[in-house]
Amino acid sequence: MRQDGKIDYLELPGGDIDRVKAFYGNAFGWSFVDYGPRYAAFDEGLDGGFDADSAKAVPLPVLYAQDLEAMQARVEAAGGTIVAPIFAFPGGRRFHFKDPAGTELAVWSER
């Protein structure tokens, strides 16, 4: 069962998706589910995905929340900076924030 505030997904920069999938498939035996030509998801101990459209060269940890609005308020009250307000994506909704050290994370929910 998913729990609030726990790391639930890891989004990685994808670049050339076919090349990245070939590397991880050949090196580690990973398999993928494609969500269009620019995103490939994996389930290899921790769910995650490669995003070819990511302009960032760093991983994006994604936390979970049952109540996304309440979690956004908690993040802001604790001193986090919202860098992308709540938006819809295939599978749910999420927002992005930076912690006080400047690290970007996201929080998602199915609703």
Side-chain angles (χ1 to χ4, degrees), residues 9 20 38 58:
Y9 198 83
V20 169
R38 312 282 303 154
V58 296

Side-chain angles (χ1 to χ4, degrees), residues 54-78:
S54 176
K56 299 178 177 125
V58 296
L60 177 69
V62 182
L63 310 178
Y64 179 78
Q66 292 184 31
D67 183 335
L68 203 56
E69 286 77 11
M71 186 63 74
Q72 181 173 317
R74 288 175 55 190
V75 165
E76 291 176 294

Side-chain angles (χ1 to χ4, degrees):
M1 180 176 167
R2 293 188 159 113
Q3 296 180 8
D4 282 352
K6 301 297 181 190
I7 295 175
D8 190 64
Y9 198 83
L10 182 63
E11 201 163 80
L12 301 169
D16 181 339
I17 289 289
D18 291 332
R19 188 171 176 203
V20 169
K21 286 171 35 181
F23 170 78
Y24 282 93
N26 291 330
F28 305 110
W30 288 16
S31 58
F32 301 90
V33 175
D34 293 328
Y35 292 94
R38 312 282 303 154
Y39 199 93
F42 58 82
D43 178 8
E44 302 296 339
L46 174 68
D47 289 348
F50 291 101
D51 183 358
D53 292 329
S54 176
K56 299 178 177 125
V58 296
L60 177 69
V62 182
L63 310 178
Y64 179 78
Q66 292 184 31
D67 183 335
L68 203 56
E69 286 77 11
M71 186 63 74
Q72 181 173 317
R74 288 175 55 190
V75 165
E76 291 176 294
T81 303
I82 304 302
V83 296
I86 295 172
F87 63 92
F89 71 97
R93 300 181 309 137
R94 73 189 204 187
F95 68 90
H96 292 213
F97 70 95
K98 286 190 177 180
D99 69 13
T103 303
E104 185 170 336
L105 294 93
V107 180
W108 87 283
S109 180
E110 296 101 334
R111 326 166 216 188

